[in-house]
Amino acid sequence: MPIFSPTSTALATRKRYEPIPGEPGVWSTSYIGSRPSDKTAPAAAEGELCPVAYLVESDAETLIKPHFHMADQFQLVVNGGGTFGPETLSAPSFHYSSAYTTYGPIRAFDEGLGYLTLRNGWDAGARWMPEHRDLWRAAKRPRHEVVAHPVATSGIPLAQLRASEQYAMLESDNGLAGVLYRLPPGGSAVGPVPALGRGQYWVVMEGSVEHGGEVLELNSCIWVNPDESAYAPVAGAGGAEVIMLQFPKHAD
């Protein structure tokens, strides 16, 4: 069964966190699994599927220096804007980096920057560069980093849509994918077969989705395992805009 987390429940976990002690902190809100800052590592080995999703909110001009993680991840911008290395991202756009890929710095613009960090494996926290250069070199992993910017849509208000809309944001032969769905009130769409990749996240970007007897509002997350059936989101009374992010099937 898919794992889901409504924003209304996740907000109770929101707390201030300093990635580097003594430097400007960020706000962190846990959606699925355990954040590295919780210091409660699950029993998951490197490379094993273990969904972790949390929201990071940075104040204006906050800078997070270059680093890497030991798990594949998406960073989906949900509000504000900023730069991820040389790329400027704003909602709804995303950044993908494979395990051991160094990226950054991340800098928030004047309006601040909010992004969901979405992983399919456990990670104990950022490995800062250049301090962890030896660990990065020893891993001998190829670098894979890609961004997807907002796509042009019909622009029709969700409540006025007559049929579901689907827009590809990212496609790859190894299963890496990002798709934006716009659904009319009560409408639905069928996502890609999860077995094509190593797990999917579905995130509500506008409106609401009905799932498991609950109404999932803005930023609510759903995780779908590779061995499950294709997920079919159902929009709430006002329609929904949902992004599906799929991890590549094989390690890069």
Side-chain angles (χ1 to χ4, degrees), residues 149-173:
H149 296 283
V151 294
T153 70
S154 68
I156 300 172
L158 295 175
Q160 297 175 19
L161 283 177
R162 298 294 184 182
S164 299
E165 300 176 349
Q166 178 177 328
Y167 303 91
M169 298 181 69
L170 176 65
E171 295 177 299
S172 177
D173 292 340

Side-chain angles (χ1 to χ4, degrees), residues 193-212:
V193 176
L196 295 173
R198 294 195 72 240
Q200 299 173 354
Y201 278 102
W202 294 75
V203 179
V204 180
M205 302 299 290
E206 186 179 344
S208 64
V209 166
E210 297 180 356
H211 178 92

Side-chain angles (χ1 to χ4, degrees), residues 11 13 32 39 70 92 96 104 115 124 172 185 192 194 246-247:
L11 285 176
T13 72
I32 295 175
K39 308 301 181 184
M70 297 170 70
Y96 170 80
Y115 57 90
S172 177
Q246 179 172 273
F247 290 88

Side-chain angles (χ1 to χ4, degrees), residues 139-150:
K140 297 181 179 179
R141 300 281 285 273
R143 182 179 186 275
H144 190 187
E145 180 182 14
V146 64
V147 299
H149 296 283

